[in-house]
Amino acid sequence: MKKSVFNCTLVFALFISTHAHANDGSQLAEKVYTVKEFTENIEFAKEVDEKCRNNPGELGDDPNCVNAREAVAKDRLIGSGDKDSFKSPSIN
């Protein structure tokens, strides 16, 4: 009987601690956005990236932070994807 009460208490304590950690704000959202989704909405990606950079200790490894950072980096590297927006430098 004592073992059963102990096991129930242990399970309840684990449930409470897991639930509390899930709601502590250490993750940005329940949905994980892909790099492609962030690339399609680059302004949203920049907002998420900014939040992540302001709190890298808690959010640095968050999947949305990683994906937003990648989308923003790609946007900086290749621009908006408009073929006419990239002009190679001319050598004169």
Side-chain angles (χ1 to χ4, degrees):
M1 177 73 179
K2 287 182 182 181
K3 192 173 187 175
S4 176
V5 170
F6 175 76
N7 287 340
C8 287
T9 304
L10 181 62
V11 169
F12 182 71
L14 288 173
F15 174 77
I16 294 298
S17 66
T18 303
H19 182 70
H21 177 69
N23 292 325
D24 68 357
S26 65
Q27 292 189 340
L28 291 176
E30 290 185 24
K31 179 184 181 338
V32 176
Y33 295 93
T34 64
V35 174
K36 182 179 179 184
E37 289 172 314
F38 276 125
T39 302
E40 292 170 353
N41 189 349
I42 199 64
E43 292 306 315
F44 177 58
K46 289 177 181 178
E47 288 176 27
V48 171
D49 187 47
E50 181 65 27
K51 289 179 185 178
C52 297
R53 289 180 186 275
N54 284 330
N55 193 358
E58 287 187 24
L59 300 175
D61 293 333
D62 182 87
N64 281 324
C65 290
V66 174
N67 292 346
R69 186 179 322 126
E70 182 71 20
V72 170
K74 283 184 177 185
D75 183 63
R76 287 183 184 143
L77 183 64
I78 60 173
S80 64
D82 185 9
K83 292 179 184 177
D84 294 329
S85 67
F86 180 75
K87 306 241 189 271
S88 60
S90 61
I91 302 173
N92 290 339

